[in-house]
Amino acid sequence: GENVEQHPSTLSVQEGDSAVIKCTYSDSASNYFPWYKQELGKGPQLIIDIRSNVGEKKDQRIAVTLNKTAKHFSLHITETQPEDSAVYFCAASIWGSQGNLIFGKGTKLSVKP
Amino acid sequence: DAGVTQSPTHLIKTRGQQVTLRCSPISGHKSVSWYQQVLGQGPQFIFQYYEKEERGRGNFPDRFSARQFPNYSSELNVNALLLGDSALYLCASSVADSNSPLHFGNGTRLTVT
């Protein structure tokens, strides 16, 4: 079955710097890759997603890139702000079965003012 | 619009007891998925339901069961609780069983003593 590895497990940056979180997946059939942000005491919130028919997607300060050949995908946050501090999860699934997401173990991002 | 709502928010049970968790999806969403999130880990898929039918099941024992009602709300039941069942149980909904992203509720925190 699918396995998703996520790195780093913790990341600390200064406000205004960029943050990058990387994930790898094992199942070449996976073609849907969402990213979720989870704040303390809350459920995961979808922040961006990408399907394998595109290599990059951007939404304001957040971007996701996908390398299908290497089975890598990454989250890029620019101009980080203290409110970006949270745990971020990557996930993978087959489009059409995205009720069943396989998640990474998460990255705790701390943005220092 | 209301998001995914789950009840109760917190629950304490004794080993061997049974528990029922409830979920109301976003209005207009017909698919509900259940996930278990152990502290420090990513969510793990338990079940997906669409139009009251089970569409997927994760690697969980038969002590775990679920159902979906005509109004698309759902219940997750866990029998013969074990200490290891202590976790955050997340419900997520999507418009359909395919081609739409998952949106999570804030979860039910279950503690088994």
Side-chain angles (χ1 to χ4, degrees), chain B residues 3-90:
Chain B
V4 176
T5 57
Q6 294 186 242
S7 63
T9 56
H10 295 82
L11 201 53
I12 300 175
K13 289 287 188 177
T14 303
R15 196 169 35 178
Q17 287 186 316
Q18 174 264 342
V19 69
T20 298
L21 310 181
R22 296 176 174 82
C23 171
S24 293
I26 293 171
S27 178
H29 285 198
K30 298 182 178 181
S31 177
V32 169
S33 296
W34 288 94
Y35 286 76
Q36 180 195 65
Q37 186 176 24
V38 174
L39 197 62
Q41 301 290 318
Q44 186 174 0
F45 173 71
I46 309 175
F47 287 111
Q48 183 194 7
Y49 277 78
Y50 176 70
E51 292 283 10
K52 297 175 290 181
E53 291 188 3
E54 183 182 302
R55 290 301 182 98
R57 172 186 287 252
N59 187 24
F60 280 80
D62 292 343
R63 299 184 295 106
F64 288 76
S65 63
R67 55 180 175 168
Q68 186 177 33
F69 299 97
N71 66 353
Y72 305 110
S73 67
S74 177
E75 287 182 351
L76 175 70
N77 295 283
V78 186
N79 294 323
L81 286 167
L82 302 174
L83 296 179
D85 295 330
S86 295
L88 181 67
Y89 288 85
L90 296 162

Side-chain angles (χ1 to χ4, degrees), chain A residues 25-41:
Chain A
Y25 62 99
S26 61
D27 189 348
S28 57
S30 291
N31 57 6
Y32 174 64
F33 307 95
W35 286 87
Y36 287 85
K37 174 184 181 182
Q38 188 172 26
E39 297 176 272
L40 199 62

